[in-house]
PDB file of all heavy atoms in Angstrom:
ATOM      1  N   GLY I  52     -28.529  32.223   0.406  1.00  0.00           N
ATOM      2  CA  GLY I  52     -28.542  33.619  -0.051  1.00  0.00           C
ATOM      3  C   GLY I  52     -29.254  33.779  -1.390  1.00  0.00           C
ATOM      4  O   GLY I  52     -30.024  34.729  -1.584  1.00  0.00           O
ATOM      5  N   ILE I  53     -29.028  32.838  -2.289  1.00  0.00           N
ATOM      6  CA  ILE I  53     -29.705  32.880  -3.595  1.00  0.00           C
ATOM      7  C   ILE I  53     -31.209  32.715  -3.417  1.00  0.00           C
ATOM      8  O   ILE I  53     -32.008  33.455  -4.001  1.00  0.00           O
ATOM      9  CB  ILE I  53     -29.134  31.793  -4.532  1.00  0.00           C
ATOM     10  CG1 ILE I  53     -27.688  32.146  -4.898  1.00  0.00           C
ATOM     11  CG2 ILE I  53     -29.990  31.634  -5.780  1.00  0.00           C
ATOM     12  CD1 ILE I  53     -26.932  31.032  -5.596  1.00  0.00           C
ATOM     13  N   VAL I  54     -31.611  31.754  -2.575  1.00  0.00           N
ATOM     14  CA  VAL I  54     -33.041  31.535  -2.323  1.00  0.00           C
ATOM     15  C   VAL I  54     -33.646  32.759  -1.640  1.00  0.00           C
ATOM     16  O   VAL I  54     -34.766  33.173  -1.957  1.00  0.00           O
ATOM     17  CB  VAL I  54     -33.255  30.249  -1.489  1.00  0.00           C
ATOM     18  CG1 VAL I  54     -34.702  30.113  -1.042  1.00  0.00           C
ATOM     19  CG2 VAL I  54     -32.831  29.024  -2.283  1.00  0.00           C
ATOM     20  N   LEU I  55     -32.916  33.373  -0.724  1.00  0.00           N
ATOM     21  CA  LEU I  55     -33.392  34.582  -0.046  1.00  0.00           C
ATOM     22  C   LEU I  55     -33.622  35.709  -1.037  1.00  0.00           C
ATOM     23  O   LEU I  55     -34.626  36.433  -0.954  1.00  0.00           O
ATOM     24  CB  LEU I  55     -32.394  35.012   1.031  1.00  0.00           C
ATOM     25  CG  LEU I  55     -32.724  36.291   1.793  1.00  0.00           C
ATOM     26  CD1 LEU I  55     -34.015  36.124   2.585  1.00  0.00           C
ATOM     27  CD2 LEU I  55     -31.570  36.674   2.703  1.00  0.00           C
ATOM     28  N   GLU I  56     -32.717  35.860  -1.999  1.00  0.00           N
ATOM     29  CA  GLU I  56     -32.875  36.899  -3.033  1.00  0.00           C
ATOM     30  C   GLU I  56     -34.168  36.701  -3.819  1.00  0.00           C
ATOM     31  O   GLU I  56     -34.862  37.658  -4.139  1.00  0.00           O
ATOM     32  CB  GLU I  56     -31.694  36.859  -4.010  1.00  0.00           C
ATOM     33  CG  GLU I  56     -30.425  37.445  -3.475  1.00  0.00           C
ATOM     34  CD  GLU I  56     -30.414  38.955  -3.561  1.00  0.00           C
ATOM     35  OE1 GLU I  56     -30.919  39.499  -4.569  1.00  0.00           O
ATOM     36  OE2 GLU I  56     -29.904  39.575  -2.618  1.00  0.00           O
ATOM     37  N   VAL I  57     -34.480  35.442  -4.111  1.00  0.00           N
ATOM     38  CA  VAL I  57     -35.662  35.139  -4.935  1.00  0.00           C
ATOM     39  C   VAL I  57     -36.942  35.184  -4.100  1.00  0.00           C
ATOM     40  O   VAL I  57     -37.936  35.788  -4.508  1.00  0.00           O
ATOM     41  CB  VAL I  57     -35.512  33.757  -5.607  1.00  0.00           C
ATOM     42  CG1 VAL I  57     -36.788  33.338  -6.309  1.00  0.00           C
ATOM     43  CG2 VAL I  57     -34.338  33.766  -6.579  1.00  0.00           C
ATOM     44  N   ALA I  58     -36.922  34.545  -2.927  1.00  0.00           N
ATOM     45  CA  ALA I  58     -38.142  34.387  -2.132  1.00  0.00           C
ATOM     46  C   ALA I  58     -38.365  35.522  -1.139  1.00  0.00           C
ATOM     47  O   ALA I  58     -39.462  35.644  -0.598  1.00  0.00           O
ATOM     48  CB  ALA I  58     -38.096  33.060  -1.389  1.00  0.00           C
ATOM     49  N   HIS I  59     -37.348  36.314  -0.842  1.00  0.00           N
ATOM     50  CA  HIS I  59     -37.433  37.405   0.134  1.00  0.00           C
ATOM     51  C   HIS I  59     -37.861  36.912   1.511  1.00  0.00           C
ATOM     52  O   HIS I  59     -38.545  37.599   2.250  1.00  0.00           O
ATOM     53  CB  HIS I  59     -38.382  38.509  -0.343  1.00  0.00           C
ATOM     54  CG  HIS I  59     -37.995  39.068  -1.666  1.00  0.00           C
ATOM     55  ND1 HIS I  59     -36.875  39.837  -1.854  1.00  0.00           N
ATOM     56  CD2 HIS I  59     -38.570  38.941  -2.886  1.00  0.00           C
ATOM     57  CE1 HIS I  59     -36.781  40.178  -3.126  1.00  0.00           C
ATOM     58  NE2 HIS I  59     -37.791  39.651  -3.776  1.00  0.00           N
ATOM     59  N   SER I  60     -37.446  35.668   1.835  1.00  0.00           N
ATOM     60  CA  SER I  60     -37.769  35.077   3.128  1.00  0.00           C
ATOM     61  C   SER I  60     -36.806  33.923   3.387  1.00  0.00           C
ATOM     62  O   SER I  60     -36.352  33.274   2.447  1.00  0.00           O
ATOM     63  CB  SER I  60     -39.210  34.564   3.125  1.00  0.00           C
ATOM     64  OG  SER I  60     -39.462  33.790   4.277  1.00  0.00           O
ATOM     65  N   TYR I  61     -36.543  33.674   4.639  1.00  0.00           N
ATOM     66  CA  TYR I  61     -35.693  32.536   4.999  1.00  0.00           C
ATOM     67  C   TYR I  61     -36.479  31.230   5.046  1.00  0.00           C
ATOM     68  O   TYR I  61     -35.889  30.160   5.150  1.00  0.00           O
ATOM     69  CB  TYR I  61     -35.034  32.773   6.359  1.00  0.00           C
ATOM     70  CG  TYR I  61     -33.888  33.742   6.298  1.00  0.00           C
ATOM     71  CD1 TYR I  61     -34.025  35.032   6.788  1.00  0.00           C
ATOM     72  CD2 TYR I  61     -32.672  33.375   5.757  1.00  0.00           C
ATOM     73  CE1 TYR I  61     -32.976  35.929   6.739  1.00  0.00           C
ATOM     74  CE2 TYR I  61     -31.619  34.265   5.693  1.00  0.00           C
ATOM     75  CZ  TYR I  61     -31.775  35.545   6.187  1.00  0.00           C
ATOM     76  OH  TYR I  61     -30.739  36.427   6.132  1.00  0.00           O
ATOM     77  N   ASN I  62     -37.798  31.303   5.020  1.00  0.00           N
ATOM     78  CA  ASN I  62     -38.618  30.101   5.167  1.00  0.00           C
ATOM     79  C   ASN I  62     -38.275  29.032   4.134  1.00  0.00           C
ATOM     80  O   ASN I  62     -38.119  27.857   4.476  1.00  0.00           O
ATOM     81  CB  ASN I  62     -40.103  30.437   5.110  1.00  0.00           C
ATOM     82  CG  ASN I  62     -40.582  31.149   6.348  1.00  0.00           C
ATOM     83  OD1 ASN I  62     -39.858  31.223   7.345  1.00  0.00           O
ATOM     84  ND2 ASN I  62     -41.777  31.695   6.302  1.00  0.00           N
ATOM     85  N   LEU I  63     -38.163  29.409   2.870  1.00  0.00           N
ATOM     86  CA  LEU I  63     -37.872  28.426   1.824  1.00  0.00           C
ATOM     87  C   LEU I  63     -36.478  27.839   2.028  1.00  0.00           C
ATOM     88  O   LEU I  63     -36.282  26.630   1.855  1.00  0.00           O
ATOM     89  CB  LEU I  63     -38.009  29.062   0.440  1.00  0.00           C
ATOM     90  CG  LEU I  63     -37.829  28.117  -0.749  1.00  0.00           C
ATOM     91  CD1 LEU I  63     -38.811  26.955  -0.669  1.00  0.00           C
ATOM     92  CD2 LEU I  63     -37.996  28.877  -2.061  1.00  0.00           C
ATOM     93  N   SER I  64     -35.507  28.662   2.399  1.00  0.00           N
ATOM     94  CA  SER I  64     -34.153  28.153   2.661  1.00  0.00           C
ATOM     95  C   SER I  64     -34.175  27.140   3.800  1.00  0.00           C
ATOM     96  O   SER I  64     -33.524  26.093   3.725  1.00  0.00           O
ATOM     97  CB  SER I  64     -33.216  29.296   3.031  1.00  0.00           C
ATOM     98  OG  SER I  64     -32.988  30.128   1.937  1.00  0.00           O
ATOM     99  N   LEU I  65     -34.905  27.448   4.862  1.00  0.00           N
ATOM    100  CA  LEU I  65     -34.981  26.531   5.994  1.00  0.00           C
ATOM    101  C   LEU I  65     -35.691  25.232   5.622  1.00  0.00           C
ATOM    102  O   LEU I  65     -35.271  24.144   6.038  1.00  0.00           O
ATOM    103  CB  LEU I  65     -35.679  27.211   7.172  1.00  0.00           C
ATOM    104  CG  LEU I  65     -34.902  28.371   7.796  1.00  0.00           C
ATOM    105  CD1 LEU I  65     -35.783  29.129   8.787  1.00  0.00           C
ATOM    106  CD2 LEU I  65     -33.633  27.882   8.461  1.00  0.00           C
ATOM    107  N   LEU I  66     -36.741  25.334   4.841  1.00  0.00           N
ATOM    108  CA  LEU I  66     -37.441  24.122   4.390  1.00  0.00           C
ATOM    109  C   LEU I  66     -36.557  23.283   3.481  1.00  0.00           C
ATOM    110  O   LEU I  66     -36.540  22.050   3.582  1.00  0.00           O
ATOM    111  CB  LEU I  66     -38.744  24.495   3.686  1.00  0.00           C
ATOM    112  CG  LEU I  66     -39.862  25.003   4.593  1.00  0.00           C
ATOM    113  CD1 LEU I  66     -41.040  25.504   3.770  1.00  0.00           C
ATOM    114  CD2 LEU I  66     -40.313  23.914   5.546  1.00  0.00           C
ATOM    115  N   LEU I  67     -35.819  23.915   2.579  1.00  0.00           N
ATOM    116  CA  LEU I  67     -34.909  23.176   1.704  1.00  0.00           C
ATOM    117  C   LEU I  67     -33.813  22.496   2.526  1.00  0.00           C
ATOM    118  O   LEU I  67     -33.450  21.346   2.255  1.00  0.00           O
ATOM    119  CB  LEU I  67     -34.298  24.103   0.659  1.00  0.00           C
ATOM    120  CG  LEU I  67     -35.245  24.566  -0.449  1.00  0.00           C
ATOM    121  CD1 LEU I  67     -34.571  25.611  -1.337  1.00  0.00           C
ATOM    122  CD2 LEU I  67     -35.712  23.385  -1.284  1.00  0.00           C
ATOM    123  N   ALA I  68     -33.297  23.184   3.538  1.00  0.00           N
ATOM    124  CA  ALA I  68     -32.281  22.577   4.409  1.00  0.00           C
ATOM    125  C   ALA I  68     -32.859  21.362   5.133  1.00  0.00           C
ATOM    126  O   ALA I  68     -32.187  20.328   5.271  1.00  0.00           O
ATOM    127  CB  ALA I  68     -31.765  23.603   5.408  1.00  0.00           C
ATOM    128  N   ALA I  69     -34.101  21.472   5.591  1.00  0.00           N
ATOM    129  CA  ALA I  69     -34.753  20.344   6.262  1.00  0.00           C
ATOM    130  C   ALA I  69     -34.930  19.178   5.293  1.00  0.00           C
ATOM    131  O   ALA I  69     -34.725  18.013   5.654  1.00  0.00           O
ATOM    132  CB  ALA I  69     -36.096  20.773   6.837  1.00  0.00           C
ATOM    133  N   LEU I  70     -35.298  19.463   4.043  1.00  0.00           N
ATOM    134  CA  LEU I  70     -35.461  18.405   3.043  1.00  0.00           C
ATOM    135  C   LEU I  70     -34.134  17.714   2.743  1.00  0.00           C
ATOM    136  O   LEU I  70     -34.079  16.492   2.592  1.00  0.00           O
ATOM    137  CB  LEU I  70     -36.067  18.969   1.755  1.00  0.00           C
ATOM    138  CG  LEU I  70     -37.541  19.347   1.838  1.00  0.00           C
ATOM    139  CD1 LEU I  70     -37.998  20.017   0.542  1.00  0.00           C
ATOM    140  CD2 LEU I  70     -38.391  18.112   2.112  1.00  0.00           C
ATOM    141  N   VAL I  71     -33.058  18.485   2.665  1.00  0.00           N
ATOM    142  CA  VAL I  71     -31.735  17.894   2.439  1.00  0.00           C
ATOM    143  C   VAL I  71     -31.373  16.993   3.612  1.00  0.00           C
ATOM    144  O   VAL I  71     -30.836  15.894   3.430  1.00  0.00           O
ATOM    145  CB  VAL I  71     -30.676  18.996   2.218  1.00  0.00           C
ATOM    146  CG1 VAL I  71     -29.270  18.430   2.275  1.00  0.00           C
ATOM    147  CG2 VAL I  71     -30.909  19.694   0.890  1.00  0.00           C
ATOM    148  N   LEU I  72     -31.681  17.422   4.818  1.00  0.00           N
ATOM    149  CA  LEU I  72     -31.397  16.626   6.006  1.00  0.00           C
ATOM    150  C   LEU I  72     -32.199  15.320   5.998  1.00  0.00           C
ATOM    151  O   LEU I  72     -31.659  14.246   6.294  1.00  0.00           O
ATOM    152  CB  LEU I  72     -31.718  17.440   7.264  1.00  0.00           C
ATOM    153  CG  LEU I  72     -31.304  16.848   8.591  1.00  0.00           C
ATOM    154  CD1 LEU I  72     -29.798  16.667   8.658  1.00  0.00           C
ATOM    155  CD2 LEU I  72     -31.770  17.752   9.713  1.00  0.00           C
ATOM    156  N   VAL I  73     -33.473  15.397   5.616  1.00  0.00           N
ATOM    157  CA  VAL I  73     -34.302  14.189   5.531  1.00  0.00           C
ATOM    158  C   VAL I  73     -33.771  13.260   4.444  1.00  0.00           C
ATOM    159  O   VAL I  73     -33.690  12.038   4.637  1.00  0.00           O
ATOM    160  CB  VAL I  73     -35.786  14.564   5.283  1.00  0.00           C
ATOM    161  CG1 VAL I  73     -36.606  13.351   4.892  1.00  0.00           C
ATOM    162  CG2 VAL I  73     -36.371  15.236   6.518  1.00  0.00           C
ATOM    163  N   ALA I  74     -33.391  13.824   3.293  1.00  0.00           N
ATOM    164  CA  ALA I  74     -32.832  13.006   2.211  1.00  0.00           C
ATOM    165  C   ALA I  74     -31.549  12.307   2.665  1.00  0.00           C
ATOM    166  O   ALA I  74     -31.340  11.122   2.382  1.00  0.00           O
ATOM    167  CB  ALA I  74     -32.560  13.870   0.978  1.00  0.00           C
ATOM    168  N   ALA I  75     -30.707  13.014   3.391  1.00  0.00           N
ATOM    169  CA  ALA I  75     -29.471  12.409   3.910  1.00  0.00           C
ATOM    170  C   ALA I  75     -29.787  11.274   4.886  1.00  0.00           C
ATOM    171  O   ALA I  75     -29.136  10.227   4.863  1.00  0.00           O
ATOM    172  CB  ALA I  75     -28.607  13.471   4.585  1.00  0.00           C
ATOM    173  N   ALA I  76     -30.794  11.460   5.727  1.00  0.00           N
ATOM    174  CA  ALA I  76     -31.188  10.406   6.672  1.00  0.00           C
ATOM    175  C   ALA I  76     -31.699   9.180   5.926  1.00  0.00           C
ATOM    176  O   ALA I  76     -31.387   8.038   6.297  1.00  0.00           O
ATOM    177  CB  ALA I  76     -32.250  10.931   7.636  1.00  0.00           C
ATOM    178  N   ILE I  77     -32.469   9.395   4.866  1.00  0.00           N
ATOM    179  CA  ILE I  77     -32.986   8.276   4.066  1.00  0.00           C
ATOM    180  C   ILE I  77     -31.836   7.525   3.398  1.00  0.00           C
ATOM    181  O   ILE I  77     -31.799   6.292   3.392  1.00  0.00           O
ATOM    182  CB  ILE I  77     -34.012   8.782   3.030  1.00  0.00           C
ATOM    183  CG1 ILE I  77     -35.291   9.220   3.755  1.00  0.00           C
ATOM    184  CG2 ILE I  77     -34.319   7.709   1.984  1.00  0.00           C
ATOM    185  CD1 ILE I  77     -36.274   9.975   2.877  1.00  0.00           C
ATOM    186  N   ILE I  78     -30.880   8.264   2.853  1.00  0.00           N
ATOM    187  CA  ILE I  78     -29.720   7.625   2.226  1.00  0.00           C
ATOM    188  C   ILE I  78     -28.929   6.833   3.263  1.00  0.00           C
ATOM    189  O   ILE I  78     -28.505   5.696   3.006  1.00  0.00           O
ATOM    190  CB  ILE I  78     -28.831   8.688   1.537  1.00  0.00           C
ATOM    191  CG1 ILE I  78     -29.559   9.255   0.315  1.00  0.00           C
ATOM    192  CG2 ILE I  78     -27.480   8.102   1.139  1.00  0.00           C
ATOM    193  CD1 ILE I  78     -28.913  10.494  -0.273  1.00  0.00           C
ATOM    194  N   LEU I  79     -28.744   7.404   4.442  1.00  0.00           N
ATOM    195  CA  LEU I  79     -28.022   6.724   5.509  1.00  0.00           C
ATOM    196  C   LEU I  79     -28.733   5.435   5.913  1.00  0.00           C
ATOM    197  O   LEU I  79     -28.108   4.378   6.029  1.00  0.00           O
ATOM    198  CB  LEU I  79     -27.875   7.649   6.718  1.00  0.00           C
ATOM    199  CG  LEU I  79     -27.206   7.043   7.936  1.00  0.00           C
ATOM    200  CD1 LEU I  79     -25.726   6.825   7.676  1.00  0.00           C
ATOM    201  CD2 LEU I  79     -27.404   7.933   9.136  1.00  0.00           C
ATOM    202  N   LEU I  80     -30.035   5.507   6.121  1.00  0.00           N
ATOM    203  CA  LEU I  80     -30.788   4.316   6.516  1.00  0.00           C
ATOM    204  C   LEU I  80     -30.792   3.266   5.413  1.00  0.00           C
ATOM    205  O   LEU I  80     -30.679   2.069   5.681  1.00  0.00           O
ATOM    206  CB  LEU I  80     -32.218   4.699   6.900  1.00  0.00           C
ATOM    207  CG  LEU I  80     -32.340   5.510   8.187  1.00  0.00           C
ATOM    208  CD1 LEU I  80     -33.779   5.980   8.384  1.00  0.00           C
ATOM    209  CD2 LEU I  80     -31.882   4.698   9.377  1.00  0.00           C
ATOM    210  N   SER I  81     -30.900   3.701   4.161  1.00  0.00           N
ATOM    211  CA  SER I  81     -30.850   2.762   3.036  1.00  0.00           C
ATOM    212  C   SER I  81     -29.502   2.052   3.000  1.00  0.00           C
ATOM    213  O   SER I  81     -29.432   0.839   2.786  1.00  0.00           O
ATOM    214  CB  SER I  81     -31.079   3.491   1.708  1.00  0.00           C
ATOM    215  OG  SER I  81     -32.336   4.099   1.691  1.00  0.00           O
ATOM    216  N   GLY I  82     -28.437   2.804   3.201  1.00  0.00           N
ATOM    217  CA  GLY I  82     -27.102   2.206   3.232  1.00  0.00           C
ATOM    218  C   GLY I  82     -26.957   1.204   4.359  1.00  0.00           C
ATOM    219  O   GLY I  82     -26.346   0.151   4.187  1.00  0.00           O
ATOM    220  N   ALA I  83     -27.529   1.515   5.506  1.00  0.00           N
ATOM    221  CA  ALA I  83     -27.452   0.599   6.649  1.00  0.00           C
ATOM    222  C   ALA I  83     -28.210  -0.688   6.353  1.00  0.00           C
ATOM    223  O   ALA I  83     -27.732  -1.789   6.669  1.00  0.00           O
ATOM    224  CB  ALA I  83     -28.004   1.269   7.905  1.00  0.00           C
ATOM    225  N   VAL I  84     -29.372  -0.585   5.728  1.00  0.00           N
ATOM    226  CA  VAL I  84     -30.159  -1.777   5.390  1.00  0.00           C
ATOM    227  C   VAL I  84     -29.419  -2.623   4.362  1.00  0.00           C
ATOM    228  O   VAL I  84     -29.299  -3.845   4.516  1.00  0.00           O
ATOM    229  CB  VAL I  84     -31.563  -1.371   4.867  1.00  0.00           C
ATOM    230  CG1 VAL I  84     -32.280  -2.551   4.247  1.00  0.00           C
ATOM    231  CG2 VAL I  84     -32.388  -0.777   5.990  1.00  0.00           C
ATOM    232  N   ILE I  85     -28.893  -1.981   3.326  1.00  0.00           N
ATOM    233  CA  ILE I  85     -28.160  -2.709   2.290  1.00  0.00           C
ATOM    234  C   ILE I  85     -26.929  -3.378   2.887  1.00  0.00           C
ATOM    235  O   ILE I  85     -26.626  -4.537   2.591  1.00  0.00           O
ATOM    236  CB  ILE I  85     -27.791  -1.767   1.126  1.00  0.00           C
ATOM    237  CG1 ILE I  85     -29.051  -1.366   0.363  1.00  0.00           C
ATOM    238  CG2 ILE I  85     -26.774  -2.414   0.190  1.00  0.00           C
ATOM    239  CD1 ILE I  85     -28.837  -0.227  -0.618  1.00  0.00           C
ATOM    240  N   SER I  86     -26.221  -2.671   3.739  1.00  0.00           N
ATOM    241  CA  SER I  86     -25.020  -3.222   4.371  1.00  0.00           C
ATOM    242  C   SER I  86     -25.356  -4.436   5.234  1.00  0.00           C
ATOM    243  O   SER I  86     -24.656  -5.445   5.201  1.00  0.00           O
ATOM    244  CB  SER I  86     -24.346  -2.142   5.206  1.00  0.00           C
ATOM    245  OG  SER I  86     -23.223  -2.650   5.857  1.00  0.00           O
TER     246      SER I  86
END
């Protein structure tokens, strides 16, 4: 909602959500390798 107020579009919110998902996948894979 905050990003929508600033950008006046859902595109940035969706891209940020995708980036968070990719970051979580990287953290998960890193943890698996370390383990």
Side-chain angles (χ1 to χ4, degrees):
I53 292 169
V54 172
L55 178 63
E56 284 280 322
V57 172
H59 303 290
S60 170
Y61 284 106
N62 288 349
L63 184 57
S64 292
L65 293 170
L66 288 173
L67 288 173
L70 288 175
V71 168
L72 188 61
V73 168
I77 290 169
I78 291 168
L79 177 71
L80 291 173
S81 299
V84 168
I85 291 168
S86 178

